[in-house]
């Protein structure tokens, strides 16, 4: 593979980056949240829940901030000229950048997962292996999707300031995604959306899980057995308790048994995450192969 030396260089860049290791520490600190609600929801599997909690908010922010400069940095320093002069196709350059950053960040995030797992085992004892493996694989998919998105941003935008602004905008949109989608749904259909008692609308629920972190939550909630929702597992569990009307869009709470559309099945979140990997890479390749990269 001609692009492997470039991938190794990018991997070393991530492994020696202070930002990557700060992200590791923050995931551990944010993720370890032992609560009675979490324990009641999934018992000793709360150790696995720590991974979801730590990854859900911090991974999108950290990965995008650590990848959006992958090509912009080369332009800023002028080293893009030497990169283009290498006997590599531009597609291979993108592969090297993407795979290298994914491998480096995967190693640092893997350390965070191991630390959370060790802490959880020490505090709560053994957990179920099958959902643990599933959640780890889902985290790998989310990481790959975010790296692909970050490389697309670095390919499409030439200004560091503009790219940073887009990252901030993306983070804000995803944080308030439920509100944005609810407002648009109300405007389009004329049906007001009460997040505490959401209407049983397949399209509404489907759009809510189209963000990378939303799809990740749906998939990991399914693996943990707490319910079908793009919110975190503790919130989903609380929503399904009788007499608790919290702000969460949970399929089991909105739809009668057996009436939910097939496209709301949690396993389809694998396809959503795969789309977030493939589509940004295809767009990056098109822009990088046809545009002015200098």
């Amino acid at each position: 593979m001609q692009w492997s030396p470039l991938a190794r260089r990018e991997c070393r860049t991530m492994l020696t980056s202070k930002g990557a290791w700060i992200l590791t520490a923050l995931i551990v600190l944010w993720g370890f949240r032992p609560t009675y609600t979490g324990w009641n929801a999934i018992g000793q599997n709360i150790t696995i829940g720590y991974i979801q909690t730590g990854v859900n908010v911090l991974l999108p922010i950290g990965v995008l901030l650590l990848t959006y400069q992958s090509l912009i940095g080369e332009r800023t320093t002028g080293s893009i000229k030497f990169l283009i002069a290498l006997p590599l196709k531009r597609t291979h350059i993108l592969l090297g950048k993407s795979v290298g950053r994914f491998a480096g960040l995967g190693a640092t995030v893997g350390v965070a997962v191991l630390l959370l797992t060790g802490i959880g085992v020490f505090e709560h004892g053994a957990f179920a292996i099958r959902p643990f493996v599933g959640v780890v694989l889902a985290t790998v998919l989310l990481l790959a999707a975010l790296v692909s998105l970050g490389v697309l941003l670095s390919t499409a935008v030439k200004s560091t300031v503009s790219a940073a602004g887009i990252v901030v905008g993306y983070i804000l949109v995803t944080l308030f995604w439920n509100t944005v989608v609810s407002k648009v749904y109300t405007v389009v259909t004329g049906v007001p959306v009460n997040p505490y008692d959401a209407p049983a609308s397949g399209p509404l629920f489907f759009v809510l899980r189209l963000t990378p972190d939303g799809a990740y939550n749906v998939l990991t909630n399914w693996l943990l057995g707490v319910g079908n929702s793009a919110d975190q597992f503790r919130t989903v569990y609380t929503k399904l308790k009788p007499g608790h009307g919290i702000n969460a869009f949970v399929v089991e709470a909105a739809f009668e048994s057996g009436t939910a559309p097939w496209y709301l099945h949690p396993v389809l979140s694998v396809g959503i995450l795969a789309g977030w990997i493939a589509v940004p890479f295809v767009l990056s390749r098109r822009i990088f192969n046809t545009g002015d990269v200098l």
Side-chain angles (χ1 to χ4, degrees), residues 119-268:
I119 294 170
V121 169
F122 180 78
E123 290 287 331
H124 313 296
F127 50 81
I129 296 299
R130 190 172 296 176
F132 173 76
V133 172
V135 169
V136 169
L137 292 176
T139 303
V140 170
L141 283 176
L142 176 62
L143 175 62
L146 294 168
V147 168
S148 184
L149 194 58
V151 171
L152 169 61
L153 178 60
S154 189
T155 305
V157 181
K158 295 185 178 182
S159 165
T160 302
V161 174
S162 298
I166 293 173
V167 170
V168 173
Y170 170 85
I171 293 168
L172 290 174
V173 168
T174 54
L175 284 176
F176 297 99
W177 185 243
N178 285 4
T179 302
V180 172
V181 173
S182 297
K183 296 291 186 184
V184 173
Y185 180 85
T186 299
V187 170
V188 172
T189 65
V191 178
V193 176
N194 179 1
Y196 299 93
D197 187 19
S201 168
L204 171 64
F205 277 70
F206 181 71
V207 175
L208 287 171
R209 60 191 60 204
L210 285 182
T211 61
D213 53 311
Y216 174 77
N217 278 351
V218 170
L219 184 57
T220 52
N221 285 336
W222 178 54
L223 293 166
L224 290 168
V226 294
N228 187 346
S229 173
D231 276 291
Q232 293 188 25
F233 77 97
R234 288 188 301 271
T235 305
V236 177
Y237 169 77
T238 305
K239 174 68 176 179
L240 291 176
K241 291 177 66 177
H244 287 72
I246 66 171
N247 186 349
F249 293 85
V250 183
V251 169
E252 290 87 347
F255 294 84
E256 295 183 5
S257 179
T259 64
W262 64 269
Y263 52 81
L264 295 182
H265 194 286
V267 76
L268 294 180

Side-chain angles (χ1 to χ4, degrees), residues 1-215:
M1 294 181 291
Q2 292 179 316
W3 48 267
S4 59
L6 177 59
R8 287 195 294 270
R9 189 194 77 174
E10 292 296 311
C11 182
R12 285 194 297 270
T13 298
M14 290 293 94
L15 290 175
T16 56
S17 166
K18 291 181 180 179
W21 293 107
I22 290 173
L23 175 61
T24 297
L26 290 175
I27 288 175
V28 175
L29 294 173
W30 186 270
F32 180 62
R33 293 190 176 189
T35 62
Y36 287 115
T37 301
W39 179 266
N40 290 335
I42 53 179
Q44 289 177 288
N45 285 344
I46 192 174
T47 296
I48 309 172
Y50 293 154
I51 298 172
Q52 185 204 70
T53 302
V55 163
N56 172 260
V57 175
L58 295 174
L59 198 65
I61 298 172
V63 171
L64 288 177
L65 290 175
L66 288 166
T67 55
Y68 83 85
Q69 288 195 10
S70 55
L71 283 166
I72 292 177
E74 302 277 7
R75 292 194 188 101
T76 303
T77 61
S79 59
I80 187 71
K81 297 178 181 178
F82 299 101
L83 196 61
I84 296 298
L86 293 174
L88 292 174
K89 295 181 179 179
R90 292 190 179 187
T91 300
H92 292 159
I93 292 174
L94 280 179
L95 274 173
K97 289 280 185 180
S98 301
V99 172
R101 300 247 163 177
F102 169 75
L105 286 168
T108 58
V109 172
V111 170
V113 169
L114 289 176
L115 288 173
L116 283 171
T117 303
I119 294 170
V121 169
F122 180 78
E123 290 287 331
H124 313 296
F127 50 81
I129 296 299
R130 190 172 296 176
F132 173 76
V133 172
V135 169
V136 169
L137 292 176
T139 303
V140 170
L141 283 176
L142 176 62
L143 175 62
L146 294 168
V147 168
S148 184
L149 194 58
V151 171
L152 169 61
L153 178 60
S154 189
T155 305
V157 181
K158 295 185 178 182
S159 165
T160 302
V161 174
S162 298
I166 293 173
V167 170
V168 173
Y170 170 85
I171 293 168
L172 290 174
V173 168
T174 54
L175 284 176
F176 297 99
W177 185 243
N178 285 4
T179 302
V180 172
V181 173
S182 297
K183 296 291 186 184
V184 173
Y185 180 85
T186 299
V187 170
V188 172
T189 65
V191 178
V193 176
N194 179 1
Y196 299 93
D197 187 19
S201 168
L204 171 64
F205 277 70
F206 181 71
V207 175
L208 287 171
R209 60 191 60 204
L210 285 182
T211 61
D213 53 311

